[in-house]
Amino acid sequence: MNTSEYESNPILDKLPKHLRQYIKPQNYEDYTPINQAVWRYVMRKNVDYLSKVAHKSYSEGLRKTGISIENIPNMYGMNRILKDLGWAAVAVDGFIPPAAFMEFQAYNVLVIASDIRQLENIAYTPAPDIIHEGAGHAPIIANPEYAAYLRRFGEIGCKAISSAKDFELYEAVRHLSIIKEAKGTPVEEIEKAEKHIEFLQDNMGDPSEMAFIRNLHWWTVEYGLIGTLDDPKIYGAGLLSSIGESQWCMTDNVKKLPYSIEAAKTSFDITKQQPQLFVTPDFAFLSQVLEDFANTMALRKGGLSGLQKLIDAKELGTIELSTGLQVSGNFESLISHEGKPIYFQTKGKSALAYREKELVGQDVNQHETGFGSPIGRLKGINIPIEDMSPRDLKAYKIYEGEIVSLDFVGGVNVTGRIITGTRNLQGRIIIITFENCKVTHNGITLFESNEELYNMAIGEEIVSAYHGPADLKSFDLLDHSLSTGSQDKGQVGLSELESYYKLIRDFREGNNTIISLTKVFEVIQEKYPKDWLLPIEIYELAILSNEKILAESIKVHLENIKLDQPNLGQLIDDGLELATIKTKV
């Protein structure tokens, strides 16, 4: 990603390259007058309603983050204000992988899908858009306790181990979001995509860590309520950005449950309104539950189960041994003994690191075809190798130039000539390098080489296992191609209807007052009889200028639209009501 394509700042400068690949220019000029009208309608409706039911941080946050009702936010302007909160915002390519989304949060960066929902999806869309991200996520980060939770969630969430089915579901949801917002997509294609998602959700098998953490994210960051069960307030971005669901969630039709770690086991359906929501007593409690969940993750538990999770995930991951040595790669297999791993093997490019920094000579070029090593204790010796002093090592002939045969508990044997050893900052040995080496398990050869050096990892146990590499610089993680998106329309060659939207927008902003509202309405009524949003905007101006006859004509016209399209009834009624309300942030 060329940084000249977006305006950087000190926070964005810290982003690693693999996250920058998801950033794309906002291209503010691409928003059409209809896009701006959709933003304005949703924001006027939301601010009017949410001022009563949202957490107090919402209204305060809109002011602090510079988000206005009248205009789609410009990311550059947002960043100038967000930096004072210690955050930044970037435009991204719609749905991005969950781990990447959370990692952005760990760097105090909000990812904002720059596209905006179509008029026909004004009440709700499964696709991430600037209404959801900008008007939903951004305001609440002005609350310091919530901002700390969001950042911490990112740090922990990006380490969660996924499954192959998680990626399949992500791809399916991304596909649905694209086709649902693409103009002209046949209804049958959308229904087919929705059914495919339902099928995947019903056949996920045992949930992965990423599935659990995604549930926690959904029931807090996206669909969270705060306060008491009897009087909850909204803080989740999905609710703050959905006209329909923010009202629906406040009714008795939606069950309210006390938030707890059990929310991690509660799945959700992105295509439907939620039957239940969780209520946290305060933002600090969110962090408490998050830490409780993190204690269940391989990130903190390691061991056989953590290693097995990485093998099942079939993705780049890392284990950390008790010496602090970190091994990153695609873990392929293991050997266990009495419930503990005694040997592990990666496949393909692998690297060794210590404290998230790659060790010299232990990069992917050195370990291009994989890395395997025994772990654990030697038979008949009470001191693990990592705790041996130089005197102990010499006594057991684990010493430079010695030809040794090391028998590990569980049946792994390493035979070869010791070349050297690598120590950590505390002086504990973390790698022993051999030549003419052979590694076997109960007589079966696992590795054998004469000229090639063998690096044996030292560690009595695996203390941590997590998604991604220890050192981000060890691997080429650039594998994302930006899509063209649905926003690439621009204002070049506006349609006639869009031109009329622009005309009314200019009139309202005082840029062109020499027009007849009545004549514009008559044209819309004749040429675009199904359009309802522009008549509402004209109605608002008619009310302000006391043009009662015009206002009444528009109301009659909108009543006829409601008869033909009953699904628009609530939207039209709300729009008419808003026309008489002056909402300011």
Side-chain angles (χ1 to χ4, degrees):
M1 164 61 68
N2 186 344
T3 54
S4 65
E5 295 181 8
Y6 64 92
E7 187 175 291
S8 193
N9 61 36
I11 295 173
L12 296 181
D13 288 342
K14 295 177 183 178
L15 287 175
K17 287 183 179 179
H18 75 281
L19 290 183
R20 295 184 190 183
Q21 69 181 317
Y22 297 105
I23 302 174
K24 74 174 188 178
Q26 185 183 19
N27 295 332
Y28 194 86
E29 66 279 2
D30 285 353
Y31 296 117
T32 68
I34 293 180
N35 295 151
Q36 294 285 1
V38 166
W39 170 271
R40 184 172 183 270
Y41 176 93
V42 174
M43 288 303 294
R44 279 168 59 80
K45 176 61 186 168
N46 278 2
V47 171
D48 174 58
Y49 175 68
L50 292 172
S51 62
K52 308 177 189 74
V53 299
H55 187 267
K56 62 180 181 179
S57 297
Y58 174 73
S59 296
E60 294 172 2
L62 284 175
R63 286 189 289 271
K64 288 182 179 179
T65 53
I67 296 173
S68 82
I69 289 174
E70 297 295 327
N71 303 292
I72 295 171
N74 187 310
M75 223 77 72
Y76 302 146
M78 279 185 67
N79 271 326
R80 282 193 290 272
I81 298 171
L82 284 173
K83 70 178 181 181
D84 293 334
L85 301 174
W87 285 72
V90 293
V92 296
D93 195 25
F95 268 113
I96 64 175
F101 180 89
M102 294 180 197
E103 195 173 356
F104 270 108
Q105 288 180 191
Y107 283 92
N108 279 24
V109 175
L110 285 177
V111 291
I112 296 180
S114 56
D115 288 358
I116 187 168
R117 65 195 65 179
Q118 294 182 50
L119 177 54
E120 51 264 41
N121 297 329
I122 193 169
Y124 172 78
T125 174
D129 74 339
I130 197 162
I131 292 177
H132 172 83
E133 311 285 5
H137 285 295
I140 306 298
I141 66 164
N143 182 293
E145 188 71 50
Y146 181 76
Y149 168 71
L150 203 62
R151 177 175 56 252
R152 184 63 172 160
F153 199 105
E155 292 172 347
I156 293 172
C158 71
K159 301 295 187 184
I161 300 172
S162 300
S163 71
K165 289 190 176 182
D166 286 330
F167 184 75
E168 191 177 356
L169 179 60
Y170 155 74
E171 288 288 327
V173 172
R174 178 177 169 85
H175 173 67
L176 173 64
S177 73
I178 292 171
I179 64 172
K180 197 159 187 176
E181 284 300 321
K183 286 190 174 181
T185 304
V187 176
E188 312 84 66
E189 187 176 347
I190 293 174
E191 290 177 347
K192 181 181 178 182
E194 288 177 339
K195 288 179 180 177
H196 180 53
I197 289 175
E198 288 179 12
F199 173 79
L200 291 176
Q201 288 175 330
D202 292 338
N203 294 274
M204 292 294 289
D206 293 334
S208 66
E209 286 183 351
M210 180 56 76
F212 285 133
I213 203 91
R214 196 168 58 236
N215 287 343
L216 285 182
H217 194 270
W218 183 265
W219 299 122
T220 59
V221 176
E222 297 292 353
Y223 277 78
L225 299 176
I226 186 169
T228 65
L229 295 181
D230 295 329
D231 184 28
K233 301 295 182 184
I234 295 172
Y235 73 90
L239 296 173
L240 293 175
S241 60
S242 172
I243 300 170
E245 199 149 15
S246 61
Q247 294 177 323
W248 169 256
C249 78
M250 289 287 106
T251 69
D252 292 336
N253 295 313
V254 179
K255 189 175 182 181
K256 313 301 191 299
L257 302 171
Y259 181 62
S260 71
I261 197 171
E262 288 301 308
K265 300 175 184 176
T266 306
S267 59
F268 58 89
D269 186 341
I270 195 172
T271 66
K272 294 181 174 65
Q273 291 185 320
Q274 308 310 311
Q276 81 283 306
L277 295 174
F278 293 89
V279 185
T280 182
D282 48 49
F283 288 135
F285 187 68
L286 297 178
S287 296
Q288 179 181 323
V289 172
L290 177 61
E291 294 299 330
D292 288 343
F293 177 77
N295 288 335
T296 71
M297 293 172 61
L299 173 67
R300 294 184 180 174
K301 298 187 75 173
L304 180 62
S305 63
L307 180 54
Q308 187 62 56
K309 284 178 181 179
L310 285 178
I311 293 171
D312 294 341
K314 294 180 171 58
E315 64 176 8
L316 179 60
T318 297
I319 61 170
E320 181 173 327
L321 303 183
S322 45
T323 53
L325 179 68
Q326 297 160 319
V327 182
S328 301
N330 286 81
F331 288 83
E332 181 182 39
S333 61
L334 64 81
I335 299 173
S336 64
H337 175 72
E338 294 182 348
K340 295 182 179 181
I342 59 171
Y343 188 88
F344 64 85
Q345 179 68 51
T346 66
K347 180 181 181 181
K349 293 181 177 180
S350 306
L352 307 186
Y354 180 73
R355 291 188 174 177
E356 288 72 52
K357 185 176 180 181
E358 182 180 274
L359 294 171
V360 176
Q362 303 293 342
D363 59 15
V364 295
N365 295 316
Q366 175 68 28
H367 304 292
E368 193 170 7
T369 59
F371 179 82
S373 176
I375 48 178
R377 291 191 175 217
L378 296 174
K379 278 185 183 178
I381 300 177
N382 291 328
I383 309 174
I385 297 176
E386 64 202 68
D387 292 337
M388 290 183 181
S389 67
R391 187 176 288 103
D392 294 325
L393 290 169
K394 191 167 187 179
Y396 290 112
K397 297 189 180 299
I398 304 175
Y399 201 74
E400 180 182 341
E402 294 283 353
I403 297 175
V404 297
S405 180
L406 303 177
D407 287 316
F408 285 81
V409 173
V412 176
N413 173 270
V414 178
T415 300
R417 182 172 178 269
I418 296 177
I419 299 297
T420 189
T422 303
R423 297 180 182 274
N424 64 17
L425 293 176
Q426 286 73 41
R428 302 168 79 190
I429 191 159
I430 59 175
I431 297 173
I432 296 177
T433 302
F434 296 82
E435 68 176 4
N436 300 326
C437 186
K438 185 175 183 179
V439 183
T440 62
H441 175 248
N442 293 336
I444 299 173
T445 300
L446 304 175
F447 173 87
E448 185 172 15
S449 174
N450 292 319
E451 296 182 359
E452 181 183 356
L453 296 179
Y454 176 69
N455 295 282
M456 184 178 77
I458 302 300
E460 185 178 4
E461 58 183 345
I462 296 173
V463 297
S464 181
Y466 54 87
H467 164 83
D471 187 338
L472 295 172
K473 298 176 183 177
S474 294
F475 296 83
D476 180 6
L477 303 174
L478 304 180
D479 57 3
H480 181 77
S481 299
L482 293 175
S483 66
T484 56
S486 60
Q487 200 68 39
D488 300 326
K489 302 185 281 290
Q491 296 194 38
V492 178
L494 290 178
S495 69
E496 184 180 36
L497 178 59
E498 289 169 336
S499 297
Y500 281 116
Y501 269 89
K502 185 176 188 301
L503 199 64
I504 294 302
R505 181 177 179 82
D506 289 343
F507 182 90
R508 186 176 60 251
E509 294 176 348
N511 297 324
N512 179 8
T513 56
I514 313 175
I515 64 169
S516 168
L517 294 176
T518 300
K519 286 184 178 179
V520 173
F521 169 64
E522 288 172 351
V523 172
I524 299 303
Q525 189 178 21
E526 179 184 351
K527 291 190 174 183
Y528 306 99
K530 292 184 177 180
D531 184 82
W532 61 274
L533 184 54
L534 189 54
I536 282 177
E537 295 215 329
I538 300 173
Y539 177 82
E540 178 190 344
L541 295 173
I543 292 292
L544 289 173
S545 57
N546 203 30
E547 296 185 46
K548 294 180 180 179
I549 295 176
L550 174 58
E552 192 58 36
S553 297
I554 294 173
K555 283 185 74 173
V556 171
H557 172 65
L558 290 170
E559 286 298 324
N560 289 329
I561 291 180
K562 284 165 61 177
L563 291 174
D564 291 338
Q565 303 178 72
N567 60 306
L568 297 177
Q570 189 64 54
L571 290 169
I572 290 173
D573 289 344
D574 289 346
L576 291 172
E577 183 181 348
L578 284 169
T580 61
I581 299 173
K582 278 197 171 184
T583 313
K584 291 184 179 180
V585 174

